[in-house]
Amino acid sequence: MQNIYGDTRVLDSKVRELYKLSEDIMMENAAAALEDAVVSSLEKSLKDCGAVCLARPAVLILAGSGNNGADGYALARRLMRHEYAVTVCAVSESKSQMCVLQKERASAIGVSFIDISEYDDYIERISIDLKVIVDCIFGSGFHGELPYEAQAVIASANKNCDAVRIACDVPSGLDGLGNVAGGFASDVFFCADKTVTMGALKMSLYSDIAKDACGEIVLANLGVSRGNFEYADGTVKCEAQLLEKSDAKLPHRKVQNVNKGSFGHAAIVCGTKSGAAVIAASAALRFGTGLVSLVTGSKNFDCATNLPFELMVSPSFPANTTAVALGMGLGSDGKQFIDWLCENPNVPAVLDADICHSPFIKELLEKRKGFVLTPHPKEFAILLEQCGMGVFSVKEVVKRRVELVKAFCNKYPDVVLLLKGANVLIGIKRATQNEVALYINPHGCNALAKGGSGDVLSGLVAALLAQKYEPLQAAVYASLAHTSAAQKALEAVKNDFALTPLDLIQALQSI
């Protein structure tokens, strides 16, 4: 796991104080990291894509008026030692002391400058040779809407599919105060192929909106190690933990003298849309659960639905149930199943989909713990309303997800909330702790945006709960397995639109 911070400006200032580093030195390190990104991206483009140039490869740097712009002018100066045609477009006039100084240095070494009025002519003239565009307009301090001139330039840059787009620190247009906003952005924002962020990872890079803005995220040091930067000020706490693929602990079987009962019994409630429950049950069985039953709540359930032979069917919860999955395709208020969960407080459960609509969900969450909830934004909006926490649109949930997840977890301690999205956000407030712990899984992809993908995830969580994993562990490991399976499946299907839930389940055997 890696630390993610909200506002890193306090750390930046403390590093300068502690380690006697001038702003100039730290800026030079930032420019060096950007230089490495530009050179490697440009060389890869020329080599792998067979890109051609009429003259020299051209690099365009979009510079603002503050220290992000200063990074851009410093980068331009450093790039002059390469065989590139380097140009800086001053999107706004230099204002900060460092921006003025770095522009003077770049001018002295022969960097070419253009202003906004010359931008279109430059693009038309240099379009074939333009290989890299670097965004140095705004950094992590940005908040609000971009000025019109910046929006126009960024919109044009985003349309340039032939050039690699690199952002300095935070893509311009993303709200830098990620610990507060979580997902606000200007109407127009820079869409980078790579973002070189400085000093420490930032929450603003991991909102759902940021998924289309940041591309690959690279962390650059500013003259001290990452640890020295992050712990320069002991009062600054990280906002979340970034999950890495290596953090997953899969349910490998290490003991030989076992039987199917040794690996738990997952009971998947089967409602009016039985397909969702079957998908979840099949995923649970594939992910190591010893026994899986579809619980129908009725003896009149029609078994002639071509159920997989390996799944059992029961009108009620089996006596040896070790975990429950409730909500997928339920189609009702789930009162009888909620009553059972209240009567069996030691059986953990994953709650998803239709159960968020239940008028009894608030009562259930207040009566007992041991739950993992896995809503998507619309279901989370409904859940918040059912729990008396306000009425929110889906758009508001996506924008304010950090704030709303924290509020929910504060109200329901020891309940794990997994909010699905472009970047999965997992939260829990331990009853013994003062703050909500947040975890972000950034490894998902748009191929998962298809009916049934969430049912697979619920089945994976249920499988781990059945095998005695703690709820937070089950949520984290299942989420990582889910995204890893998607990546494995995509290798087989060769595109980003053909992935199905069954492909996901099948790919679990390869992770």
Side-chain angles (χ1 to χ4, degrees):
M1 296 183 190
Q2 302 181 54
N3 292 337
I4 311 176
Y5 294 84
D7 189 347
T8 61
R9 288 175 292 183
V10 173
L11 293 174
D12 204 69
S13 177
K14 194 66 176 180
V15 165
R16 290 199 299 272
E17 176 189 337
L18 275 180
Y19 304 113
K20 314 304 177 187
L21 296 176
S22 67
E23 194 172 26
D24 207 344
I25 291 174
M26 295 179 74
M27 190 166 287
E28 202 63 30
N29 280 284
L34 286 169
E35 179 188 12
D36 288 344
V38 169
V39 172
S40 61
S41 297
L42 199 154
E43 290 180 351
K44 187 175 189 301
S45 175
L46 293 175
K47 180 180 178 181
D48 295 350
C49 303
V52 296
C53 297
L54 295 179
R56 291 182 296 167
V59 178
L60 173 63
I61 300 167
L62 308 175
S65 59
N67 281 3
N68 205 253
D71 289 338
Y73 287 113
L75 168 64
R77 170 176 47 80
R78 295 181 66 93
L79 289 175
M80 288 297 286
R81 65 195 182 96
H82 302 277
E83 294 298 318
Y84 307 150
V86 183
T87 302
V88 177
C89 176
V91 178
S92 53
E93 191 57 42
S94 302
K95 292 181 180 179
S96 76
Q97 183 178 358
M98 286 304 300
C99 194
V100 171
L101 175 60
Q102 294 290 8
K103 184 174 182 179
E104 291 174 351
R105 289 173 175 172
S107 178
I109 207 168
V111 173
S112 297
F113 299 142
I114 62 171
D115 60 29
I116 291 288
S117 64
E118 301 170 285
Y119 178 84
D120 289 339
D121 289 340
Y122 167 83
I123 292 295
E124 185 176 351
R125 174 170 50 84
I126 206 74
S127 59
I128 294 178
D129 291 341
L130 183 57
K131 303 305 177 190
V132 179
I133 301 174
V134 186
D135 163 32
C136 295
I137 305 174
F138 291 99
S140 57
F142 174 79
H143 181 71
E145 282 293 328
L146 287 173
Y148 172 77
E149 295 82 2
Q151 289 193 32
V153 169
I154 288 173
S156 175
N158 288 342
K159 292 177 182 177
N160 195 318
C161 300
D162 296 326
V164 177
R165 295 186 295 271
I166 297 174
C168 174
D169 201 24
V170 174
S172 292
L174 287 189
D175 195 312
L177 299 177
N179 58 322
V180 178
F184 285 104
S186 174
D187 289 340
V188 176
F189 51 85
F190 189 82
C191 296
D193 299 299
K194 179 181 292 187
T195 296
V196 181
T197 197
M198 308 303 172
L201 298 177
K202 301 161 182 70
M203 285 292 283
S204 54
L205 302 177
Y206 295 99
S207 68
D208 280 0
I209 293 172
K211 193 81 167 183
D212 285 319
C214 296
E216 177 190 0
I217 297 172
V218 177
L219 180 60
N221 74 64
L222 300 177
V224 297
S225 71
R226 181 175 183 176
N228 285 334
F229 188 95
E230 291 184 357
Y231 300 108
D233 189 326
T235 65
V236 178
K237 297 181 180 179
C238 68
E239 286 286 329
Q241 296 288 318
L242 184 71
L243 298 176
E244 301 176 88
K245 295 177 184 178
S246 59
D247 291 322
K249 290 183 172 56
L250 303 179
H252 293 295
R253 301 181 172 189
K254 299 178 181 179
V255 178
Q256 297 296 329
N257 184 24
V258 293
N259 58 64
K260 58 191 176 184
S262 305
F263 302 102
H265 190 160
I268 315 297
V269 175
C270 186
T272 57
K273 297 179 180 178
S274 59
V278 171
I279 289 172
S282 298
L285 195 65
R286 177 72 77 173
F287 207 44
T289 313
L291 295 164
V292 179
S293 290
L294 292 169
V295 177
T296 65
S298 170
K299 294 181 179 180
N300 298 322
F301 180 76
D302 183 9
C303 292
T305 52
N306 297 319
L307 293 178
F309 296 131
E310 62 269 25
L311 301 180
M312 297 181 289
V313 178
S314 173
S316 59
F317 289 103
N320 60 345
T321 296
T322 56
V324 170
L326 173 62
M328 301 77 65
L330 183 63
S332 70
D333 59 28
K335 182 67 167 62
Q336 62 176 313
F337 306 112
I338 286 176
D339 288 344
W340 188 91
L341 287 173
C342 289
E343 294 163 4
N344 294 269
N346 294 324
V347 178
V350 54
L351 307 177
D352 187 29
D354 289 350
I355 200 63
C356 296
H357 298 253
S358 173
F360 307 107
I361 185 67
K362 183 174 184 289
E363 178 184 359
L364 175 62
L365 294 174
E366 290 172 346
K367 280 189 174 181
R368 54 155 291 186
K369 312 300 181 185
F371 295 122
V372 178
L373 289 95
T374 60
H376 56 54
K378 184 177 180 180
E379 291 162 351
F380 188 41
I382 294 167
L383 179 63
L384 290 168
E385 185 174 1
Q386 293 283 27
C387 293
M389 298 181 67
V391 179
F392 303 93
S393 67
V394 174
K395 188 175 182 180
E396 285 179 302
V397 167
V398 171
K399 281 188 173 183
R400 300 171 59 184
R401 64 181 194 148
V402 172
E403 169 195 349
L404 294 174
V405 166
K406 283 184 176 181
F408 184 89
C409 292
N410 274 316
K411 184 170 183 177
Y412 299 107
D414 293 325
V415 169
V416 179
L417 176 64
L418 186 158
L419 180 58
K420 290 177 280 199
N423 286 312
V424 174
L425 180 62
I426 301 170
I428 184 174
K429 164 72 179 299
R430 300 288 190 187
T432 56
Q433 296 176 338
N434 295 324
E435 296 179 352
V436 175
L438 296 177
Y439 304 85
I440 296 176
N441 179 0
H443 305 296
C445 60
N446 55 11
L448 285 167
K450 187 172 290 187
S453 294
D455 301 322
V456 173
L457 176 61
S458 295
L460 301 184
V461 175
L464 295 183
L465 291 174
Q467 294 171 81
K468 304 301 183 183
Y469 283 68
E470 292 295 318
L472 178 59
Q473 292 177 324
V476 168
Y477 301 158
S479 179
L480 289 170
H482 191 242
T483 52
S484 292
Q487 291 167 357
K488 287 290 185 182
L490 286 175
E491 294 173 6
V493 299
K494 307 297 184 185
N495 60 57
D496 57 7
F497 57 81
L499 184 68
T500 71
L502 298 183
D503 294 327
L504 268 178
I505 295 170
Q506 184 69 20
L508 288 168
Q509 63 187 4
S510 301
I511 63 175

